[in-house]
Amino acid sequence: MTNYQGVNIPASVAIIMDGNGRWAQKRNLPRTMGHKEGCKVVEQIIQDAGEIGIRYLTVYAFSTENWNRSPEEVGALMDLFRYYAGKLLKRAKENDVRIRMIGDRARFPEDIREAIGKLEAETADNKGLTFIMAANYGGRDEIRRAAMKYAADVCSGKAGAEITEADLAKYLDTEGIPDPDLVIRTSGEERISNFLLWQAAYAEFVFTDVLWPDFSKEELLNCIREFNGRNRRFGGVKNA
Protein backbone atom coordinates (compact mmCIF):
# COMPACT_ATOMS: atom_id res chain seq x y z
CA MET A 1 0.00 0.00 0.00
CA THR A 2 1.02 3.59 -0.60
CA ASN A 3 0.26 6.41 1.81
CA TYR A 4 -1.61 9.57 0.85
CA GLN A 5 -2.17 12.29 3.45
CA GLY A 6 -2.01 9.71 6.23
CA VAL A 7 -4.35 7.27 4.46
CA ASN A 8 -3.08 3.85 3.40
CA ILE A 9 -4.17 3.41 -0.22
CA PRO A 10 -5.09 -0.08 -1.49
CA ALA A 11 -3.44 -1.13 -4.73
CA SER A 12 -6.61 -2.36 -6.43
CA VAL A 13 -10.06 -0.78 -6.11
CA ALA A 14 -13.27 -1.69 -7.94
CA ILE A 15 -16.40 0.47 -8.10
CA ILE A 16 -20.02 -0.40 -8.86
CA MET A 17 -21.16 2.96 -10.20
CA ASP A 18 -24.80 3.20 -9.19
CA GLY A 19 -27.34 5.99 -8.98
CA ASN A 20 -27.13 7.84 -12.30
CA GLY A 21 -30.84 7.41 -12.99
CA ARG A 22 -31.91 8.45 -9.50
CA TRP A 23 -29.61 11.47 -9.64
CA ALA A 24 -31.40 12.59 -12.81
CA GLN A 25 -34.88 11.82 -11.52
CA LYS A 26 -34.28 13.91 -8.38
CA ARG A 27 -33.64 16.85 -10.72
CA ASN A 28 -36.55 16.06 -13.08
CA LEU A 29 -34.05 15.27 -15.83
CA PRO A 30 -33.99 12.35 -18.30
CA ARG A 31 -32.06 9.30 -17.07
CA THR A 32 -29.60 9.83 -19.90
CA MET A 33 -28.49 13.09 -18.26
CA GLY A 34 -27.53 11.12 -15.18
CA HIS A 35 -25.41 8.80 -17.30
CA LYS A 36 -23.76 11.80 -18.94
CA GLU A 37 -22.86 13.29 -15.56
CA GLY A 38 -21.64 9.88 -14.45
CA CYS A 39 -19.22 9.76 -17.40
CA LYS A 40 -17.73 13.08 -16.30
CA VAL A 41 -17.14 11.65 -12.85
CA VAL A 42 -15.38 8.62 -14.33
CA GLU A 43 -12.95 10.95 -16.12
CA GLN A 44 -12.17 12.79 -12.90
CA ILE A 45 -11.93 9.71 -10.68
CA ILE A 46 -9.35 8.18 -13.04
CA GLN A 47 -7.14 11.19 -12.41
CA ASP A 48 -7.90 11.26 -8.67
CA ALA A 49 -7.21 7.54 -8.24
CA GLY A 50 -3.84 7.85 -9.94
CA GLU A 51 -2.90 10.88 -7.85
CA ILE A 52 -3.57 9.15 -4.53
CA GLY A 53 -1.68 5.99 -5.47
CA ILE A 54 -4.26 3.42 -6.59
CA ARG A 55 -2.59 1.16 -9.15
CA TYR A 56 -5.67 -0.64 -10.55
CA LEU A 57 -9.16 0.85 -10.81
CA THR A 58 -12.01 -1.28 -12.17
CA VAL A 59 -15.43 0.23 -12.86
CA TYR A 60 -18.68 -1.55 -13.69
CA ALA A 61 -19.66 0.36 -16.82
CA PHE A 62 -22.28 -1.90 -18.42
CA SER A 63 -23.46 -5.31 -17.24
CA THR A 64 -24.73 -8.27 -19.23
CA GLU A 65 -28.12 -7.54 -17.64
CA ASN A 66 -28.15 -3.89 -18.74
CA TRP A 67 -29.25 -4.98 -22.21
CA ASN A 68 -32.67 -5.55 -20.59
CA ARG A 69 -33.17 -1.81 -20.18
CA SER A 70 -35.26 0.09 -22.71
CA PRO A 71 -33.85 0.27 -26.26
CA GLU A 72 -33.79 4.06 -25.89
CA GLU A 73 -31.63 3.95 -22.75
CA VAL A 74 -29.29 1.27 -24.16
CA GLY A 75 -28.91 3.29 -27.36
CA ALA A 76 -28.16 6.42 -25.37
CA LEU A 77 -25.50 4.56 -23.37
CA MET A 78 -23.85 3.36 -26.58
CA ASP A 79 -23.84 6.93 -27.93
CA LEU A 80 -22.32 8.18 -24.67
CA PHE A 81 -19.50 5.68 -24.98
CA ARG A 82 -18.87 6.79 -28.56
CA TYR A 83 -18.70 10.41 -27.39
CA TYR A 84 -16.55 9.83 -24.33
CA ALA A 85 -14.10 7.32 -25.86
CA GLY A 86 -12.05 10.15 -27.36
CA LYS A 87 -12.15 12.17 -24.15
CA LEU A 88 -11.14 9.10 -22.18
CA LEU A 89 -8.19 8.47 -24.48
CA LYS A 90 -7.04 12.08 -24.10
CA ARG A 91 -7.31 11.89 -20.30
CA ALA A 92 -5.44 8.57 -20.28
CA LYS A 93 -2.57 9.96 -22.32
CA GLU A 94 -2.34 13.05 -20.10
CA ASN A 95 -2.13 10.93 -16.95
CA ASP A 96 -0.07 7.95 -18.23
CA VAL A 97 -3.07 5.64 -17.72
CA ARG A 98 -3.31 2.18 -19.28
CA ILE A 99 -6.83 1.11 -20.30
CA ARG A 100 -8.19 -2.42 -20.43
CA MET A 101 -11.67 -3.76 -21.00
CA ILE A 102 -13.14 -6.88 -19.46
CA GLY A 103 -16.36 -8.48 -20.62
CA ASP A 104 -17.65 -9.92 -23.88
CA ARG A 105 -17.26 -7.17 -26.45
CA ALA A 106 -18.69 -9.27 -29.30
CA ARG A 107 -22.22 -7.91 -28.79
CA PHE A 108 -21.20 -4.28 -29.22
CA PRO A 109 -21.50 -2.54 -32.60
CA GLU A 110 -18.35 -2.69 -34.72
CA ASP A 111 -17.45 0.97 -34.23
CA ILE A 112 -17.54 0.57 -30.45
CA ARG A 113 -15.39 -2.57 -30.62
CA GLU A 114 -12.91 -0.58 -32.71
CA ALA A 115 -12.95 2.28 -30.20
CA ILE A 116 -12.25 -0.16 -27.36
CA GLY A 117 -9.37 -1.66 -29.32
CA LYS A 118 -7.94 1.82 -29.93
CA LEU A 119 -8.16 2.73 -26.24
CA GLU A 120 -6.29 -0.43 -25.29
CA ALA A 121 -3.67 -0.27 -28.07
CA GLU A 122 -2.78 3.40 -27.67
CA THR A 123 -2.38 3.18 -23.89
CA ALA A 124 -0.76 -0.27 -23.66
CA ASP A 125 2.70 1.10 -22.83
CA ASN A 126 1.55 3.62 -20.22
CA LYS A 127 3.03 3.05 -16.76
CA GLY A 128 0.61 4.74 -14.39
CA LEU A 129 -2.81 3.63 -13.18
CA THR A 130 -4.40 0.70 -14.99
CA PHE A 131 -8.04 1.55 -15.63
CA ILE A 132 -10.29 -1.44 -16.30
CA MET A 133 -13.76 -1.00 -17.79
CA ALA A 134 -16.18 -3.86 -17.22
CA ALA A 135 -18.52 -3.61 -20.22
CA ASN A 136 -21.05 -6.24 -21.27
CA TYR A 137 -19.61 -7.93 -18.21
CA GLY A 138 -21.16 -10.36 -15.76
CA GLY A 139 -19.27 -12.46 -13.24
CA ARG A 140 -21.20 -15.63 -14.08
CA ASP A 141 -20.73 -15.07 -17.80
CA GLU A 142 -17.00 -14.53 -17.28
CA ILE A 143 -16.66 -17.82 -15.41
CA ARG A 144 -18.74 -19.57 -18.09
CA ARG A 145 -16.49 -18.24 -20.84
CA ALA A 146 -13.38 -19.19 -18.86
CA ALA A 147 -14.69 -22.74 -18.44
CA MET A 148 -15.37 -23.00 -22.16
CA LYS A 149 -11.84 -21.82 -23.03
CA TYR A 150 -10.36 -24.28 -20.54
CA ALA A 151 -12.48 -27.13 -21.93
CA ALA A 152 -11.31 -26.28 -25.45
CA ASP A 153 -7.69 -26.42 -24.30
CA VAL A 154 -8.29 -29.79 -22.64
CA CYS A 155 -9.80 -31.16 -25.87
CA SER A 156 -6.86 -29.87 -27.90
CA GLY A 157 -4.31 -31.23 -25.46
CA LYS A 158 -3.08 -27.79 -24.36
CA ALA A 159 -4.32 -28.32 -20.78
CA GLY A 160 -4.68 -31.30 -18.48
CA ALA A 161 -7.85 -32.54 -16.84
CA GLU A 162 -6.74 -31.37 -13.40
CA ILE A 163 -6.91 -27.64 -12.75
CA THR A 164 -6.04 -25.41 -9.79
CA GLU A 165 -7.64 -22.10 -8.87
CA ALA A 166 -4.53 -20.35 -10.19
CA ASP A 167 -4.84 -22.22 -13.48
CA LEU A 168 -8.49 -21.24 -13.94
CA ALA A 169 -7.74 -17.62 -13.07
CA LYS A 170 -5.56 -17.44 -16.18
CA TYR A 171 -8.68 -18.00 -18.30
CA LEU A 172 -10.59 -15.12 -16.71
CA ASP A 173 -10.89 -11.67 -18.31
CA THR A 174 -8.81 -10.26 -15.46
CA GLU A 175 -5.74 -12.42 -16.10
CA GLY A 176 -2.73 -10.37 -14.99
CA ILE A 177 -4.83 -7.94 -12.92
CA PRO A 178 -4.67 -8.21 -9.10
CA ASP A 179 -7.89 -9.04 -7.30
CA PRO A 180 -9.54 -5.97 -5.77
CA ASP A 181 -8.68 -5.14 -2.17
CA LEU A 182 -11.73 -2.88 -1.94
CA VAL A 183 -15.07 -2.87 -3.75
CA ILE A 184 -17.16 0.31 -3.46
CA ARG A 185 -20.83 0.57 -4.37
CA THR A 186 -22.51 3.95 -4.57
CA SER A 187 -26.17 5.01 -4.12
CA GLY A 188 -26.91 3.06 -0.93
CA GLU A 189 -27.57 -0.29 -2.56
CA GLU A 190 -25.84 -3.23 -0.85
CA ARG A 191 -25.44 -6.06 -3.34
CA ILE A 192 -22.73 -7.32 -5.67
CA SER A 193 -24.88 -7.43 -8.85
CA ASN A 194 -22.86 -10.13 -10.61
CA PHE A 195 -19.62 -8.09 -10.44
CA LEU A 196 -16.21 -9.76 -10.09
CA LEU A 197 -17.70 -12.82 -8.40
CA TRP A 198 -14.42 -14.75 -8.51
CA GLN A 199 -12.05 -11.86 -7.92
CA ALA A 200 -13.90 -10.25 -5.01
CA ALA A 201 -13.87 -13.40 -2.85
CA TYR A 202 -11.80 -11.66 -0.15
CA ALA A 203 -12.32 -8.02 -1.02
CA GLU A 204 -13.63 -5.58 1.56
CA PHE A 205 -16.94 -3.95 0.59
CA VAL A 206 -17.87 -0.36 1.38
CA PHE A 207 -21.34 0.96 0.57
CA THR A 208 -21.93 4.69 0.34
CA ASP A 209 -25.23 6.56 -0.02
CA VAL A 210 -23.63 9.02 -2.45
CA LEU A 211 -25.09 8.78 -5.95
CA TRP A 212 -22.43 8.20 -8.59
CA PRO A 213 -22.69 11.64 -10.27
CA ASP A 214 -21.95 13.19 -6.84
CA PHE A 215 -18.98 10.91 -6.12
CA SER A 216 -15.72 12.77 -5.53
CA LYS A 217 -12.09 12.33 -4.58
CA GLU A 218 -12.97 13.06 -0.94
CA GLU A 219 -15.71 10.40 -0.95
CA LEU A 220 -13.24 7.93 -2.47
CA LEU A 221 -10.86 8.71 0.38
CA ASN A 222 -13.71 8.32 2.90
CA CYS A 223 -14.36 4.82 1.54
CA ILE A 224 -10.66 4.01 1.77
CA ARG A 225 -10.55 5.29 5.36
CA GLU A 226 -13.35 2.84 6.20
CA PHE A 227 -11.37 0.11 4.43
CA ASN A 228 -8.34 1.00 6.57
CA GLY A 229 -10.37 0.19 9.67
CA ARG A 230 -11.07 -3.39 8.57
CA ASN A 231 -9.18 -6.41 9.92
CA ARG A 232 -8.47 -8.54 6.86
CA ARG A 233 -7.88 -12.15 7.91
CA PHE A 234 -8.47 -13.97 4.58
CA GLY A 235 -10.12 -16.86 6.37
CA GLY A 236 -7.42 -17.18 9.01
CA VAL A 237 -6.99 -15.77 12.50
CA LYS A 238 -4.52 -13.05 13.37
CA ASN A 239 -3.14 -12.87 16.88
CA ALA A 240 -4.02 -9.73 18.78
Side-chain angles (χ1 to χ4, degrees):
M1 289 189 186
T2 58
N3 187 281
Y4 178 84
Q5 297 182 352
V7 181
N8 289 323
I9 305 299
S12 182
V13 174
I15 304 178
I16 301 173
M17 306 179 296
D18 198 9
N20 289 342
R22 276 168 282 172
W23 182 92
Q25 289 169 354
K26 285 175 63 176
R27 291 160 177 80
N28 295 315
L29 296 171
R31 287 177 58 86
T32 53
M33 291 301 296
H35 295 311
K36 186 174 182 178
E37 288 300 312
C39 287
K40 294 178 183 178
V41 174
V42 171
E43 283 187 80
Q44 185 59 49
I45 287 297
I46 290 171
Q47 181 175 327
D48 295 339
E51 287 178 355
I52 69 177
I54 293 170
R55 298 298 302 163
Y56 296 85
L57 175 67
T58 305
V59 300
Y60 207 5
F62 190 86
S63 75
T64 50
E65 291 75 31
N66 285 157
W67 295 105
N68 296 324
R69 295 186 179 185
S70 72
E72 293 77 17
E73 184 170 356
V74 171
L77 288 168
M78 297 299 108
D79 288 342
L80 271 176
F81 180 82
R82 292 181 176 98
Y83 174 73
Y84 276 101
K87 293 169 68 67
L88 183 58
L89 180 59
K90 181 176 183 291
R91 182 66 68 104
K93 289 182 175 180
E94 291 172 349
N95 293 279
D96 199 27
V97 170
R98 181 168 65 116
I99 297 175
R100 281 185 58 177
M101 178 193 152
I102 60 174
D104 184 2
R105 66 189 72 181
R107 189 170 176 179
F108 289 120
E110 183 177 358
D111 66 316
I112 289 182
R113 296 198 302 270
E114 290 175 354
I116 291 168
K118 182 177 181 179
L119 286 168
E120 291 180 324
E122 295 195 14
T123 64
D125 295 327
N126 289 352
K127 306 301 182 185
L129 169 79
T130 296
F131 174 64
I132 304 106
M133 291 186 297
N136 194 27
Y137 174 87
R140 289 179 175 180
D141 181 67
E142 178 189 27
I143 294 169
R144 177 192 65 81
R145 289 185 285 105
M148 290 179 66
K149 287 186 282 187
Y150 168 66
D153 279 355
V154 171
C155 291
S156 65
K158 294 180 181 178
E162 295 294 326
I163 188 170
T164 66
E165 289 185 11
D167 291 333
L168 185 57
K170 295 175 183 177
Y171 290 88
L172 297 172
D173 294 351
T174 52
E175 193 273 328
I177 299 171
D179 291 344
D181 303 296
L182 167 64
V183 176
I184 299 167
R185 182 166 187 148
T186 61
S187 88
E189 302 291 350
E190 299 184 3
R191 55 181 177 272
I192 194 169
S193 293
N194 200 17
F195 183 51
L196 300 179
L197 297 181
W198 176 284
Q199 298 84 349
Y202 278 103
E204 296 294 325
F205 282 77
V206 172
F207 302 103
T208 172
D209 290 335
V210 174
L211 301 175
W212 178 249
D214 294 325
F215 198 77
S216 64
K217 182 179 182 179
E218 186 56 37
E219 185 60 23
L220 174 60
L221 287 168
N222 286 339
C223 293
I224 293 172
R225 290 185 184 99
E226 182 171 340
F227 165 82
N228 279 191
R230 305 286 178 85
N231 180 12
R232 303 186 76 196
R233 296 186 297 276
F234 299 97
V237 176
K238 291 185 179 180
N239 295 326

